[in-house]
């Protein structure tokens, strides 16, 4: 029964993984404002919603290869390999081979926790909600005194992809633990 539950949770985890990497994981909006006298001029500098795959692609195209590769390996490749191996262990009838596969998954699982760390650090860097800078300048132009206030505001939000990816991480970990428990119990 535990083996079946582990497999079922793995299937649900895969179902969460796909939107977790394709839906926006965060949004970032940056606006710049200028106040001259009583007039305000606002312009949007950045307005992005990126998924995990979109973020990897953008990092790759901007020649931030090491970060793109690390994010891909820890957040896409290792979780996909882990899910495939849990499915393979479920269908293998040879208990010893299934146990070896699950031991590999256990080793990979330690590395796949790096994906959670990478995403957490990435989102922490972007969590600059309402970070506003303000600069006041005063100058004279043709004997008129002009007051200029310039500001920028950055807003970031976690997208739905983050919640799917987080749920995937939890279910995937639970699925591999249940699968390993079932194989160890079947000795």
């Amino acid at each position: 029964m535990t083996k079946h539950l582990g497999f079922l949770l793995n299937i649900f985890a895969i179902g969460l993984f796909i939107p977790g990497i394709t839906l926006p994981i965060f949004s970032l909006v940056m606006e710049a404002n200028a106040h001259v006298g009583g007039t305000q001029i606002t312009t949007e500098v950045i307005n992005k919603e990126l998924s995990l795959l979109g973020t990897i692609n953008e990092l790759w195209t901007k020649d931030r290869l090491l970060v793109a590769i690390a994010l891909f390996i820890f957040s896409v490749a290792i979780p996909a390999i882990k899910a495939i191996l849990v499915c393979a262990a479920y269908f293998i009838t040879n208990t010893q081979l299934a146990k070896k596969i699950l031991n590999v998954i256990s080793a990979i699982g330690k590395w796949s926790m790096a994906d959670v760390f990478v995403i957490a650090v990435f989102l922490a860097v972007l969590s600059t909600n309402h970070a506003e800078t303000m600069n006041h300048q005063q100058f004279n132009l043709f004997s008129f005194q002009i007051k200029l206030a310039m500001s920028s505001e950055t807003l970031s939000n976690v997208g739905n992809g983050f919640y799917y990816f987080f749920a995937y991480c939890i279910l995937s970990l639970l699925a591999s633990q249940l699968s390993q428990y079932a194989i160890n119990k079947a000795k």
Side-chain angles (χ1 to χ4, degrees):
M1 181 67 182
T2 307
K3 181 179 177 181
H4 302 306
L5 182 59
F7 176 73
L8 184 62
L9 287 176
N10 187 53
I11 297 301
F12 283 137
I14 292 168
L16 293 169
F17 177 70
I18 293 168
I21 63 173
T22 57
L23 290 177
I25 201 162
F26 73 95
S27 64
L28 181 65
V29 177
M30 182 179 204
E31 292 180 345
N33 302 302
H35 304 273
V36 180
T39 306
Q40 177 177 340
I41 302 167
T42 301
T43 185
E44 200 170 69
V45 179
I46 297 172
N47 187 352
K48 289 185 178 185
E49 277 192 343
L50 287 175
S51 66
L52 193 53
L53 291 177
T55 302
I56 292 167
N57 184 49
E58 186 162 313
L59 289 167
W60 185 266
T61 58
K62 296 201 178 188
D63 291 328
R64 295 181 180 145
L65 303 179
L66 181 61
V67 179
I69 290 168
L71 201 55
F72 177 77
I73 288 171
F74 293 124
S75 299
V76 179
I78 289 176
I81 291 167
K82 185 178 166 188
I84 290 167
L85 289 175
V86 169
C87 286
Y90 177 78
F91 289 109
I92 291 174
T93 57
N94 181 336
T95 308
Q96 289 303 320
L97 181 57
K99 188 174 181 180
K100 286 180 184 179
I101 290 173
L102 290 169
N103 285 337
V104 168
I105 293 169
S106 180
I108 288 175
K110 291 174 181 74
W111 283 99
S112 72
M113 285 312 292
D115 60 1
V116 177
F117 176 73
V118 168
I119 297 297
V121 168
F122 185 67
L123 289 174
V125 168
L126 292 174
S127 66
T128 56
N129 272 351
H130 305 291
E132 188 171 346
T133 60
M134 181 69 83
N135 187 6
H136 295 278
Q137 297 292 326
Q138 188 172 335
F139 57 94
N140 292 320
L141 181 66
F142 303 117
S143 69
F144 290 104
Q145 188 175 19
I146 299 175
K147 293 180 182 178
L148 174 66
M150 305 226 7
S151 66
S152 67
E153 185 175 15
T154 304
L155 302 170
S156 61
N157 290 305
V158 175
N160 288 338
F162 171 79
Y163 298 108
Y164 279 102
F165 193 79
F166 178 75
Y168 152 76
C169 290
I170 301 299
L171 275 183
S172 174
L173 185 60
L174 187 57
S176 61
Q177 292 294 316
L178 286 173
S179 298
Q180 191 155 25
Y181 173 78
I183 291 297
N184 288 336
K185 194 171 103 174
K187 285 183 184 179

